[in-house]
Amino acid sequence: MRILVTGKNGQVGRSIQKLVNTDTKLDNNQSSNDFIFVGREELDLSSESNISHYFNNNKFDIIINCAAYTQVDKAEQEAELANQINHLAVKQLASIANEQKARLIHISTDYVFDGESDKPFTETDIPNPINIYGRTKLAGEKALLKLMPTNSIIIRASWLYSEYGNNFVKVMLKLGKKQDKLSVVSDQIGSPTYATDLSNVILEIIKHKNFRDVGQTTQIYHYSNEGKISWYEFTNEIFRIEKIECEVNPITSQQYPTPAKRPRNTLINMDKIVKVFNIKISNWKSSLNTCMTILKKQQ
Ligand SMILES: NC(=O)c1ccc[n+]([C@@H]2O[C@H](COP(=O)([O-])OP(=O)(O)OC[C@H]3O[C@@H](n4cnc5c(N)ncnc54)[C@H](OP(=O)(O)O)[C@@H]3O)[C@@H](O)[C@H]2O)c1
């Protein structure tokens, strides 16, 4: 079994790597040697010829695409690059996976939705992205579904954080320790996703019969931690755990303009993934605690 994981330096890529190297998540037929982790140095998704060249020399049974253009605001200025990585490269990966008879797991986002619903979005709700990042991610999903009607899955996650990289939790910890007061948006609602939880789910899925059986129709699944919060509530909990005495004031999205518009409510419904893959979903507070305990040990 040869399993390729792209985005080895990203939050999900690094979390999968850590789990695979501890071996606890692998079944008897798997070994950490089955996994090949690549970053842009080995496989640059901004270059069509680089992608072709890489796969001419490398064949896989499963491709897990954790690489993406994820800078939501910068994407407004770099639409072409974001489209290449989030859409055209995904299209090319799907076509290559087909040729190689490989399974493809692709990660997408809650930002494919416009956020204009008061109910959690299900996989059958119609996407309607309101920023360039969301549009490029949706274009990637559509291309994948067209080229790979079978043998692939798309997992849409939301508000990813981890002990790696520069995510919301780490930024808030830094700001909270420096400042007495902080204003945080309270009218964008969703649920955070701890990258290790998502990575565990991916490793569960690749062992599961419902993924392994050849010819299964490609499906979209939603996954995040359990809960419904705003960025303001998220910040309060981060500060409570770390005992940071920084005053947090709720503000509206209008009071905090950003280059890319953010959807208002991107809570996602996870019934489908729970049912099909028998997944247990942790509450956002317990996963945040786990991540922050690891961060503390790293200090
Ligand atoms: N972050 C979120 O809040 C969020 C929310 C929902 C869904 N998602 C989705 O979840 C997935 C994983 O997100 P993440 O937070 O783990 O992302 P991340 O930490 O930003 O990592 C993305 C990785 O993609 C790599 N990459 C970017 N351009 C590349 C290129 N041209 N060629 C090869 N690799 C390239 C980056 O490489 P470098 O390290 O070299 O830059 C980075 O390691 C993505 O599909 C994202 O769209 C993210």
Side-chain angles (χ1 to χ4, degrees):
M1 190 50 83
R2 275 170 62 81
I3 303 166
L4 178 74
V5 181
T6 68
K8 74 171 180 190
N9 299 312
Q11 301 195 77
V12 180
R14 289 184 72 180
S15 303
I16 296 180
Q17 228 165 323
K18 187 174 173 196
L19 290 173
V20 163
N21 288 332
T22 57
D23 269 3
T24 47
K25 280 288 147 190
L26 306 180
D27 66 21
N28 295 337
N29 305 318
Q30 289 176 323
S31 126
S32 58
N33 295 330
D34 296 346
F35 290 80
I36 294 108
F37 292 89
V38 291
R40 73 173 82 211
E41 319 76 53
E42 297 92 352
L43 172 59
D44 181 359
L45 297 179
S46 69
S47 156
E48 190 185 333
S49 59
N50 186 284
I51 300 172
S52 301
H53 183 255
Y54 179 81
F55 286 99
N56 282 339
N57 299 309
N58 294 285
K59 306 258 176 282
F60 300 96
D61 301 293
I62 298 174
I63 299 168
I64 304 173
N65 184 30
C66 304
Y69 184 106
T70 55
Q71 297 172 80
V72 177
D73 286 320
K74 211 169 163 197
E76 299 293 312
Q77 300 298 323
E78 293 190 334
E80 204 176 319
L81 180 62
N83 189 57
Q84 165 58 36
I85 296 165
N86 293 344
H87 168 207
L88 300 178
V90 175
K91 185 175 175 185
Q92 205 178 344
L93 286 179
S95 152
I96 290 164
N98 253 342
E99 274 164 35
Q100 298 198 351
K101 300 199 177 352
R103 308 295 161 78
L104 176 61
I105 296 186
H106 174 65
I107 320 292
S108 193
T109 170
D110 55 328
Y111 277 18
V112 297
F113 294 115
D114 58 17
E116 295 303 318
S117 167
D118 291 322
K119 280 192 285 182
F121 285 94
T122 68
E123 291 84 352
T124 53
D125 285 328
I126 311 285
N128 181 31
I130 59 170
N131 56 41
I132 303 258
Y133 166 74
R135 279 185 211 121
T136 61
K137 292 293 288 185
L138 179 62
E141 286 187 4
K142 285 185 173 167
L144 185 157
L145 288 164
K146 193 166 173 196
L147 281 162
M148 278 192 93
T150 58
N151 297 327
S152 174
I153 68 170
I154 295 167
I155 306 174
R156 290 184 185 138
S158 64
W159 298 18
L160 263 167
Y161 71 92
S162 67
E163 46 277 23
Y164 309 112
N166 210 24
N167 55 68
F168 186 80
V169 175
K170 291 177 76 177
V171 170
M172 287 300 139
L173 282 172
K174 218 182 274 171
L175 290 177
K177 285 173 188 168
K178 264 203 308 220
Q179 294 175 203
D180 300 333
K181 268 187 197 171
L182 208 57
S183 297
V184 184
V185 167
S186 62
D187 60 356
Q188 289 168 29
I189 304 297
S191 188
T193 308
Y194 178 34
T196 298
D197 291 341
L198 173 60
S199 303
N200 266 317
V201 166
I202 292 170
L203 293 179
E204 284 302 320
I205 287 176
I206 62 172
K207 288 190 274 190
H208 204 285
K209 188 178 174 308
N210 286 344
F211 176 70
R212 287 278 176 105
D213 283 353
V214 181
Q216 297 274 348
T217 304
T218 294
Q219 298 285 340
I220 298 176
Y221 295 98
H222 287 175
Y223 179 81
S224 71
N225 287 123
E226 198 73 63
K228 178 183 178 183
I229 55 168
S230 66
W231 294 110
Y232 164 74
E233 290 168 282
F234 199 16
T235 308
N236 275 325
E237 185 63 10
I238 296 165
F239 289 180
R240 192 194 64 76
I241 296 171
E242 193 70 14
K243 300 189 175 57
I244 290 175
E245 284 176 12
C246 170
E247 185 185 317
V248 189
N249 296 309
I251 53 166
T252 63
S253 305
Q254 242 181 354
Q255 291 171 293
Y256 186 74
T258 48
K261 263 176 81 181
R262 302 302 200 269
R264 183 175 62 82
N265 171 15
T266 58
L267 208 61
I268 47 181
N269 176 307
M270 296 165 292
D271 292 351
K272 184 175 171 185
I273 199 164
V274 166
K275 196 167 159 206
V276 174
F277 294 110
N278 201 16
I279 301 289
K280 282 200 186 67
I281 301 194
S282 323
N283 180 269
W284 70 274
K285 280 190 185 177
S286 75
S287 289
L288 177 62
N289 256 298
T290 307
C291 177
M292 288 183 59
T293 305
I294 296 171
L295 280 172
K296 205 158 190 123
K297 280 187 195 149
Q298 288 173 354
Q299 279 171 9

